[in-house]
Amino acid sequence: INILPIFMTSARTTITALVFFALLFTACKKRKDTTGMNAKINSASWNSSAFSATLGIPYIPSGPPNIERTLTVGGLMGDMSAGTEINLSVTNYTTIGTYPIADTLSWNTAYYRSKNEYHNARSGSITVTSKSSDNIKGTFNFIADSITVTDGQFNVSLKEW
């Protein structure tokens, strides 16, 4: 009996299975470290399905050009019409650090949107913990009328312009 073809088929199947599981476990490990945005909204988990960050000089049509660089980080869970959204904005972003959110004389803002209902932050903070040319990471929390956003984190690709 020639067992070589059986052994080769079995070995090929075993190697294929090992490679598949190695890729699966490697991919799963990477998924834990992937970019995204998450938080707790009134103690319920919120995880974005889409997210982005930009850093640039915004155009203001009714006045002189704004020379301050504005950092905007946003995440969306679900779709635009029925989903929920968190948006963070730091005016005059300069470096890693903590930027307070206040409803008086603060240009740093945040909001939580559910369908067409916007909840603007009255207090809180946005903390940038690291930034590279193409990625930004940080934490956030804020209180907006009946909404409390805690344990917020972002790790997103950054587009500078």
Side-chain angles (χ1 to χ4, degrees):
I1 297 176
N2 187 357
I3 63 167
L4 189 57
I6 296 170
F7 174 75
M8 292 300 289
T9 302
S10 177
R12 212 173 312 147
T13 303
T14 303
I15 290 171
T16 303
L18 287 173
V19 169
F20 173 76
F21 283 111
L23 289 173
L24 179 65
F25 288 126
T26 303
C28 288
K29 185 175 182 182
K30 286 182 182 175
R31 286 192 80 163
K32 291 180 182 177
D33 299 329
T34 58
T35 60
M37 188 175 192
N38 58 66
K40 289 185 179 175
I41 312 298
N42 291 339
S43 300
S45 292
W46 181 91
N47 295 297
S48 64
S49 53
F51 38 84
S52 68
T54 59
L55 177 59
I57 301 171
Y59 172 73
I60 301 174
S62 61
N66 185 345
I67 59 170
E68 299 172 335
R69 292 173 49 121
T70 298
L71 170 67
T72 303
V73 180
L76 174 68
M77 185 170 89
D79 62 41
M80 283 300 289
S81 61
T84 58
E85 173 187 8
I86 292 177
N87 190 288
L88 313 170
S89 182
V90 175
T91 301
N92 199 20
Y93 173 83
T94 54
T95 187
I96 61 172
T98 300
Y99 296 85
I101 299 169
D103 61 354
T104 57
L105 300 177
S106 175
W107 291 99
N108 305 323
T109 62
Y111 69 78
Y112 171 78
R113 178 188 62 82
S114 178
K115 298 182 183 175
N116 289 326
E117 195 173 307
Y118 287 82
H119 303 273
N120 295 311
R122 296 185 176 276
S123 64
S125 65
I126 302 164
T127 301
V128 177
T129 57
S130 72
K131 179 197 164 294
S132 68
S133 62
D134 62 352
N135 187 268
I136 193 158
K137 297 178 186 178
T139 62
F140 62 93
N141 65 76
F142 61 90
I143 296 172
D145 50 59
S146 62
I147 303 295
T148 300
V149 178
T150 58
D151 300 330
Q153 298 180 346
F154 58 89
N155 178 1
V156 298
S157 296
L158 178 65
K159 172 76 174 162
E160 289 194 58
W161 44 273

